[in-house]
Structures are given as structure tokens and as C-alpha cells.
Amino acid sequence: TVGFALEEKGVPLAFILWRQAVETADLLTLVTHPAARRCGHARRLLAASESALHRQGTTRFLLEVSAENAAAQALYLQA
């Protein structure tokens, strides 16, 4: 499991966890603090973590998202 976090002045804003195996990374969770939502933190963290994993040899990224989670779907479609 590989994790990345985004914080400001010691306050956690968002974090992401991936399960990495060989060339595949499976997104386990991406969470943004409620007070920090709609600021682009999740988008930046997703992009930065994908870049870091790609540099480590990951070539395939997987995720599952609920059909009811429109905000997550929109984020992942932009990624």
C-alpha cells in the first residue's frame, strides 16, 4: 500500500491510498477534509500520486466508484 497526503501548516487536507502490485495500482481511497473540498486538492493529489507511481513503474491504474458518487466520477473523468 502506498499513501500520499496533502497538508497545509500541519493540517491534513487530503490523502490517497493505492495498492501497488507489479505494474498496476488500485485506488483504495481518496479523502478530502470537508472544509477543504472544492479547492482542487483531490485533483492535485491524484495527479501527483499517479506521476509518482508512474515513475516507480506503474503503467495501469484501476478504481471503482459508486454510481451515486457524482463528484468522484467527475474528478476521475478529468484525470
Side-chain angles (χ1 to χ4, degrees), residues 21-62:
V22 190
E23 297 162 349
T24 301
D26 186 12
L27 178 60
L28 300 177
T29 192
L30 173 57
V31 179
T32 302
H33 189 284
R37 291 183 181 152
R38 310 288 306 158
C39 296
H41 300 310
R43 184 176 295 112
R44 285 194 302 276
L45 190 56
L46 182 61
S49 65
E50 285 178 346
S51 292
L53 289 167
H54 185 71
R55 287 190 302 274
Q56 295 175 9
T58 298
T59 58
R60 184 173 170 209
F61 295 89
L62 306 174

